[in-house]
Amino acid sequence: MTAFWTQPDYDDHETVQLVRDRASGLTALIGIHSTHLGPAAGGTRFWHYAQPADALRDVLRLSRGMSYKNAMAGLPMGGGKAVILADAKGTKTPEMLAAFGDAVDRLGGRYVTAEDVGICVADMVAVAARTPYVSGLPAEGDAAGGDPGPFTAMGVYHGMKAAVRYRLGKDSLAGVHVALQGVGSVGGGVARLLARDGAKLTLADINRDRAEALADELGGEAVETDAVMGVACDVFSPNALGAILDDEGIARLEAPIVAGAANNQLARPEHGDALVARGVLYAPDYVINAGGIISVALEYLCRQDGAPCDINEVRKRIALIPDRLEDIWRESDASGQSPAAIADAMAQKLIGR
Ligand code: NAD
């Protein structure tokens, strides 16, 4: 058997913990990639994996991504992530969430969890009954907090505007054609913000009804999921799955910009160079999609101080995402290295690697 720390996605993670709770049937993995900048923060994914090895790969890639994301967002947080291995039916019980909360608690604050795919605010409230190392809890009054999705959408929108300005020289999104893959919590939010600015929208989702309803509401066009990557447009915005920018995906692109929220969009690091070779400006995923973790982290840090989290501070920090992207693109243009490689180098330096 190959030791997991010899596989490519293991990147000197500080801790990788397998959690098994026989009574509830919980199986989970918690990855702490780095606590160099502070407690490792990152959400919990609830997902049915075809193979356990896929779950391990996911937690390793996602927790490293969180180290990079938190560092590049200027947050005093390290990077971690958890995955709960769901059965084929997606059975999720209060007992499983309680056992998961106990496991997070045993880490004593080295890992702070929140929502990710398959986990909602109510699930985090259940986890919070067992541990204080939780964020993304319902906001009180005007304070920031709760579902990170709308904050992620806000950051993607600002980042996309920056990309359109940088590559197309346009200050407005009016008439700019954006094709969105996935219109769930984040993609749907991005589409609404774009519609407000008069962008032309093409929407695709495996939940076809969702894409059609949003297209009707916002005046866009819904297309099949297998067609959206090849739509001739100004911006392709991935907001569903990771690893879509592989050889085949990149060859199909008919857009000069890729800017979206999906985590781990590049199938392999060299696909950052493949995008440059095709003349595509790429907004590194963990930089453009940091809005949610900015909200989650500030909410957590404020709660530690016993103070409400000022939503304007969250907005102010999200508004800095375009500046970071522009720094990356400028350095990429100057050095000839891809934006993905430049962002990785910046993030690694920040986390002392
Ligand atoms: P979500 O589950 O609310 O939405 C995802 C949508 O994608 C769903 O509508 C789903 O039907 C659709 N989808 C799934 N497979 C698809 C496919 N092959 N083609 C087209 N559509 C497909 O999730 P979300 O919270 O909106 O997150 C979207 C992506 O952004 C994920 O990769 C997530 O990891 C990433 N992300 C989310 C946040 C956040 O704050 N929610 C933060 C950072 C990154």
Side-chain angles (χ1 to χ4, degrees), residues 1 32 40 43 73 97 129 150 187 223 260 309-310 348:
M1 196 184 89
I32 296 178
L97 293 172
V223 297
C309 183
D310 180 359
Q348 281 158 0

Side-chain angles (χ1 to χ4, degrees), residues 70-125:
N70 295 340
M72 292 296 274
L75 295 168
M77 309 296 275
K81 199 91 181 181
V83 298
I84 296 178
L85 286 77
D87 65 16
K89 290 192 211 135
T91 314
K92 192 198 287 167
T93 65
E95 292 76 18
M96 287 165 74
L97 293 172
F100 179 70
D102 290 343
V104 171
D105 200 59
R106 282 194 294 274
L107 289 165
R110 286 186 65 227
Y111 169 61
V112 179
T113 197
E115 295 85 353
D116 191 60
V117 177
I119 291 284
C120 63
V121 174
D123 295 333
M124 276 303 122
V125 171

Side-chain angles (χ1 to χ4, degrees), residues 45 148-149 152 182 184-186 205-206 210 225 239-241 261-263 289:
R45 180 166 291 192
T152 305
S185 168
V186 179
D205 198 293
I206 46 167
R210 185 177 287 168
T225 50
N239 297 288
L241 308 172
N263 281 313
N289 73 13

Side-chain angles (χ1 to χ4, degrees), residues 45 47 62 66 69 81 115-118 147-153 180-188 204-208 210 225-226 228 238-242 244 260-264 285 289-293:
R45 180 166 291 192
W47 193 253
L62 290 166
M66 289 311 301
K69 187 186 304 198
K81 199 91 181 181
E115 295 85 353
D116 191 60
V117 177
D147 178 13
F151 296 102
T152 305
L180 292 106
Q181 179 184 53
V183 289
S185 168
V186 179
D205 198 293
I206 46 167
N207 183 336
R208 175 84 203 191
R210 185 177 287 168
T225 50
D226 54 6
V228 70
N239 297 288
L241 308 172
I244 42 127
N263 281 313
N264 295 331
D285 46 17
N289 73 13
I293 194 69

Side-chain angles (χ1 to χ4, degrees), residues 55-72:
L56 178 60
R57 182 164 185 264
D58 218 19
V59 82
L60 291 174
R61 283 172 59 105
L62 290 166
S63 55
R64 179 183 50 196
M66 289 311 301
S67 288
Y68 290 10
K69 187 186 304 198
N70 295 340
M72 292 296 274

Side-chain angles (χ1 to χ4, degrees), residues 146-266:
D147 178 13
F151 296 102
T152 305
M154 193 189 293
V156 170
Y157 163 77
H158 285 311
M160 198 182 286
K161 273 185 89 163
V164 165
R165 196 166 46 238
Y166 193 87
R167 173 49 56 93
L168 306 178
K170 293 184 183 173
D171 283 325
S172 156
L173 290 173
V176 170
H177 183 184
V178 182
L180 292 106
Q181 179 184 53
V183 289
S185 168
V186 179
V190 174
R192 285 197 167 82
L193 292 168
L194 293 173
R196 220 180 45 182
D197 283 6
K200 178 180 171 191
L201 300 177
T202 299
L203 313 174
D205 198 293
I206 46 167
N207 183 336
R208 175 84 203 191
D209 290 347
R210 185 177 287 168
E212 276 176 4
L214 197 63
D216 284 348
E217 180 195 327
L218 303 177
E221 187 194 358
V223 297
E224 293 299 329
T225 50
D226 54 6
V228 70
M229 269 190 95
V231 169
C233 59
D234 298 305
V235 183
F236 170 65
S237 183
N239 297 288
L241 308 172
I244 42 127
L245 298 172
D246 56 9
D247 293 344
E248 195 210 342
I250 291 170
R252 290 177 63 204
L253 285 176
E254 293 291 341
I257 294 168
V258 172
N263 281 313
N264 295 331
Q265 292 169 30
L266 302 178

